[in-house]
Structures are given as C-alpha cells and as structure tokens.
Amino acid sequence: MSASNLPLSGARLWESLMEMAKIGGTPKGGCNRQTLTDLDAEGRALFQRWGEACGLTLSVDRLGNMVFRREGRDPTRAPVAIGSHLDTQPTGGKFDGVLGVLAGLEIMRALHEAGAETEAPLLLINWTNEEGARFSPPMMGSGAAMGIFTEEEVLTKRAADGAVFGEELRRIGWQGEANPAELQKVGAYLELHIEQGKLLEDAGFDVGIVTHALAQSWFEVTVEGEDAHGGSPMAGRRDAMMAAAPLIAAVEEIALGTRAPDGEPGRGTVGVVEVYPASRNVAPSRVFFSVDFRHSDPDALARMGEALAARGAEVAAARGVKVTVAPFWHSPLTPLDAGLVAHARAGAEARGLRYREIPTAIGHDAVYMARRVPAVMVFTPCHGGLSHNEAESITPEWATAGLQVLADAAIAAANAKE
C-alpha cells in the first residue's frame, strides 16, 4: 500500500482548514486562537470529533498534547508520528501550524476510507503552545516531551496577565494523564508547514523539503543610564535611549556582516523594546530590548553574539551607561533525518512536483523532535512569505501538494523494513 493509492482529498483538507479558521476568526480574515484559551479548547474539541470519526484513539498527556493513534499491522513497532499545532498568534493566519495538523488528519481519513493498514502504527499530534504567544518560550509541548524543558517548568509558566500555564490547562479541561516523554519512543516524526518565507513562491516551487534548522541565539539587552528632564542641556546626559539606538541598529549590521564560508549572511531581529519611565519629556534611564540572531553556520552565529557584546561595551564606555548583554535561549544547528528527506524527495519526484531542498530559519516542533528522533519537514509556499499575520495566504493547490508529499513520506516510513 502506498499513498498514491489513497483517496487523499485536497478539497476536504481545504474545507477543514476553513472550518477550523472560524474558531477565533478575526474581522481581517485571520485567527486569534491562543493557547489554553476557551477558543483553543473549542478548536481541540472539533479536532477530537474529527479524529474519532475516522477511528482514531485519543490520549492527552500532562501538558495537554493531543495524540491520536491508528494501529498498524505490527503494534510492537515504533509508531510514525505526524504533527504540528492548532494554537495561533493574536493576529495569526489560517494556515500556520493548522495545515500540518489537518493534513495529518486527511491522511488518517483517507486510510480509514480505504480500509488500508500500515505496518507501523501512526500517530497524529497537536502540540500545546507551539507559538509561545501567551506563555514564553514557544514550542513548550514538544520541548518538554523531548526533555528540553521539565514538566514543572512548563506548568508553572506565567503569562503577562498573571495566568499560570497549568491552571489554564486544567481550567479548559485539557490536562490528561499520559506521560509526554513517551513520545521520545516514536520511530519517525513528520511535519507539514507553510514556509513563512517567499523562496518557494518566488522560484515557482510546489514544495520545499527541509534538510536542517538554522542555529539560533537569543539575547536580552539592558541599557541603564539616568533620567533627565527633556529641557535639560544635552551635554552630560546619560540617556539610555540614545545609547540603545546605535546598539539596536547594530543588530542588522552584525547580521548582514557575519557570513558563512559560502557567503550566506546571518539574520537579526529586535522584536521587543521597553522604555522606562516612558514619559514624553523624560530622557529614559533604562531601555530593554530583545535580540534574535540566526545563522546557517554555528561559528558565525557565535561571532554575532560576541560582536553584540563588544559593541555594547563600546557604547557603555562612550556614553557613561551600563550595558548588559545576557544570553536568553539557544537552539543549535539541527540536521533533519536523511532517510526521511529521501522519502519526501521520492514522493515529490513521483508526483511530478517541483521541489527544492531548503533550511528552516524558524523554530518548529520538528526541530525539537529532531534532537531525539528522526524527523523531517515539508514546506508549502505562502504568498509573499507572510505569516503571523491575518493576511497569511496559500493556495489549495499548494496545500494539496504538501499533503501528498507528507503522505508519501509518512507511509513510506511506516512501511519501511526494519
């Protein structure tokens, strides 16, 4: 049995995407279905109904990860898992994460309709809090399952409004009893996702096959000076904002100027800036900002962090302020599984789809999974590379191509000889 014989329905996948998008739908056509909210609970309940309708058995672990199981001919074999997430950003789109979950559901529906079996069991996973919109950092469900975070660390996380992760999980009724660490026993993990970039669209490819995840380092930068009245003389001020400004600008400069041996530059982002006392006529005494550095070369990434710290020391000395550059989070360069990449490549070639191999510069559940188990990702193009935005958009044809390659690779992995 191969995926080419299954009654996969791109139309049904699209209908499911549009139906799920109604839960938390926004006036601008996006979705606001943040993790562990009442809307998240509603989306989970719909997903549960759909999964059970095609014969899947649901278990929920202590972190709220939803795991459907479809038995294989040999229940002793390590299962092959397909997954992604249903939670969104506050101004999220219809496809980020959701496409991967519902494409997995469509594979299960097609297998059910055909009465077909795989050798190994199949799992379908909705991970809790991939986005990290309410509770930071992101990818907590998969991260804790893979032992990167502890359960206690996740369950005690607080949102900006004071809500506690574990309390919210229990409030919405989605804390189960299963041990999330059991998912370290899966034999393979596959995830379909929109690219969140425009390389595929610009070059006319139908799908991307992800070979590795870029290394990432996040920093928190604090600049401390002294309050001053907006009417006071400029000379002698220890203005934290004027000191922070060249450091913020340096993030882009450092990223573009730090290149891998093949000439590829880094990527740098300042996503959060906080100013104290935040008064119109006061030169600030304190500025905090976040820095996100990413690179295909781990050595180049390390140099980016060193360059930021050196620039901070220069600014501190020149302006009489204190600059602290503190590491916050790091994700190493993560290769995805060559065998699963080959399965995805074979599926794309057999179906005559235009594809390219591509890295991901963005964190996904598959990246944490790849630290413990064989994993691969398949990308679909998205218009203009737009994501984490209500205007996020893909075509039904792109969704279908991604579904087909995901199905080919998952079923090939489940039927592979041990």
Side-chain angles (χ1 to χ4, degrees):
M1 186 272 299
S2 69
S4 61
N5 301 321
L6 287 179
L8 293 167
S9 173
R12 181 168 54 191
L13 168 59
W14 194 261
E15 290 169 4
S16 299
L17 286 164
M18 296 305 105
E19 190 66 24
M20 184 62 74
K22 294 177 183 177
I23 301 174
T26 65
K28 293 182 179 180
C31 280
N32 179 7
R33 193 173 52 247
Q34 295 179 62
T35 196
L36 307 187
T37 60
D38 293 342
L39 289 170
D40 183 22
E42 187 178 344
R44 287 165 173 263
L46 177 59
F47 182 48
Q48 179 180 8
R49 292 195 296 273
W50 283 341
E52 291 177 344
C54 60
L56 303 178
T57 302
L58 176 65
S59 66
V60 181
D61 67 29
R62 294 187 292 261
L63 300 174
N65 296 317
M66 298 175 67
V67 183
F68 280 113
R69 184 179 176 99
R70 189 178 196 274
E71 206 52 79
R73 290 192 187 93
D74 183 355
T76 67
R77 285 183 59 166
V80 170
I82 302 167
S84 199
H85 60 96
L86 293 176
D87 68 311
T88 76
Q89 291 286 332
T91 53
K94 298 183 181 76
F95 306 101
D96 176 356
V98 187
L99 174 64
V101 175
L102 298 186
L105 175 68
E106 177 55 33
I107 294 169
M108 301 295 191
R109 284 169 162 168
L111 287 165
H112 183 67
E113 286 183 3
E117 288 184 299
T118 54
E119 293 298 325
L122 294 176
L123 304 182
L124 174 57
I125 305 173
N126 169 38
W127 297 107
T128 301
N129 191 39
E130 192 277 346
E131 290 291 0
R134 287 187 73 201
F135 301 95
S136 184
M139 301 177 295
M140 285 187 186
S142 57
M146 294 301 104
I148 294 157
F149 309 123
T150 66
E151 286 186 48
E152 181 181 6
E153 182 181 2
V154 170
L155 293 171
T156 57
K157 284 290 184 182
R158 285 187 178 272
D161 63 3
V164 178
F165 188 107
E167 293 174 2
E168 287 292 272
L169 185 59
R170 289 187 289 274
R171 182 187 66 80
I172 67 168
W174 279 96
Q175 184 172 45
E177 297 180 354
N179 180 1
E182 286 295 306
L183 291 168
Q184 295 181 28
K185 298 176 182 178
V186 303
Y189 176 79
L190 302 95
E191 182 169 353
L192 175 66
H193 207 280
I194 62 172
E195 181 192 354
Q196 299 177 292
K198 57 179 185 172
L199 294 177
L200 298 177
E201 181 189 30
D202 285 354
F205 290 102
D206 301 309
V207 293
I209 299 171
V210 182
T211 56
H212 64 283
L214 301 190
Q216 301 182 43
S217 289
W218 291 6
F219 298 88
E220 294 186 332
V221 181
T222 305
V223 181
E224 297 172 276
E226 185 176 67
D227 295 343
H229 194 289
S232 65
M234 299 292 287
R237 286 191 190 181
R238 297 173 57 234
D239 186 329
M241 178 58 78
M242 293 302 106
L247 276 179
I248 291 172
V251 169
E252 181 179 65
E253 177 190 332
I254 290 167
L256 293 174
T258 309
R259 296 181 177 268
D262 63 1
E264 178 72 16
R267 308 180 191 197
T269 303
V270 174
V272 175
V273 179
E274 298 173 354
V275 180
Y276 178 85
S279 177
R280 289 176 182 266
N281 64 341
V282 177
S285 60
R286 182 180 183 275
V287 174
F288 165 90
F289 62 95
S290 64
V291 175
D292 173 339
F293 279 148
R294 308 183 187 210
H295 212 294
S296 61
D297 183 334
D299 291 337
L301 181 68
R303 293 199 301 274
M304 291 167 71
E306 292 164 0
L308 180 66
R311 193 68 63 89
E314 291 172 5
V315 168
R319 289 188 167 268
V321 297
K322 178 181 179 182
V323 176
T324 304
V325 179
F328 177 72
W329 178 76
H330 176 73
S331 181
L333 184 77
T334 305
L336 300 185
D337 184 73
L340 292 175
V341 167
H343 286 322
R345 188 189 305 119
E349 290 173 351
R351 293 181 182 272
L353 297 170
R354 293 162 297 175
Y355 75 93
R356 65 168 288 182
E357 296 183 3
I358 189 173
T360 177
I362 296 169
H364 297 285
D365 295 306
V367 179
Y368 275 158
M369 291 295 286
R371 296 199 198 178
R372 295 286 185 273
V373 302
V376 73
M377 294 193 75
V378 177
F379 277 170
T380 66
C382 61
H383 288 123
L386 200 61
S387 183
H388 286 191
N389 187 305
E390 292 159 288
E392 177 183 275
S393 175
I394 69 172
T395 69
E397 292 75 19
W398 289 341
T400 299
L403 165 66
Q404 291 170 338
V405 174
L406 179 72
D408 290 341
I411 290 172
N415 290 337
K417 292 181 180 179
E418 290 191 297

